[in-house]
Amino acid sequence: MEENKTYWFDVGPVSAIPLRGARTVKTPRREIAVFRTASNDVFALENRCPHKGGPLSEGIVHGHKVACPLHNLIIDLETGMAAGDAGCARKFPVKIERGHVYLDMGVAASA
C-alpha cells in the first residue's frame, strides 16, 4: 500500500479569501472550498454538502461553521461534520506561511 505524500500548493494570500467567506480550488478529482473565518482561521472542505450536494463555498460562514446555501444545514469547518448526523464533508489539510494559504494536494488528489 502506497503512503500519501504531502504536496503543498500555494492557494494565494489569506487576504484574497473574504472574511467569513470562501474561495474555491479545482482539482482533477473535486472542488475544494477554502474558508476564512472572522478570526482569520482557515479551513478547507470539499465544496459539496454531504446532505444534498450544495456548494458550501456559497454558504454563510459564522464562527467555525458554514450554512449550506441550499437548505441551511450547518457544517463544522474544523471537522466537516454536519449537524444532526447528516453526514460529513471531506476536510483537507491547510497551513498558512508568510501570509499565504497552502493546501495539501497529496490528500486532495487521493480518492
Side-chain angles (χ1 to χ4, degrees):
M1 186 161 133
E2 189 174 317
E3 185 177 319
N4 281 347
K5 295 193 179 206
T6 303
Y7 299 103
W8 293 104
F9 173 74
D10 186 349
V11 175
V14 174
S15 60
I17 303 169
L19 278 175
R20 296 180 308 277
R23 177 179 173 190
T24 59
V25 176
K26 292 183 183 189
T27 73
R29 292 184 184 244
R30 64 187 49 86
E31 186 171 83
I32 298 170
V34 182
F35 298 91
R36 180 176 169 209
T37 68
S39 57
N40 275 319
D41 295 314
V42 177
F43 301 96
L45 298 175
E46 186 160 8
N47 192 29
R48 188 175 189 287
C49 176
H51 182 231
K52 294 201 176 189
L56 294 178
S57 62
E58 296 176 19
I60 296 170
V61 175
H62 49 96
H64 282 186
K65 300 184 183 328
V66 63
C68 176
L70 291 185
H71 57 292
N72 212 31
L73 181 68
I74 304 299
I75 311 290
D76 186 299
L77 293 173
E78 293 182 70
T79 65
M81 293 299 297
D85 241 0
C88 186
R90 187 168 182 188
K91 68 178 198 155
F92 300 94
V94 293
K95 67 179 180 178
I96 299 173
E97 288 183 355
R98 298 177 304 281
H100 277 239
V101 178
Y102 291 84
L103 177 64
D104 182 350
M105 295 305 283
V107 174
S110 66

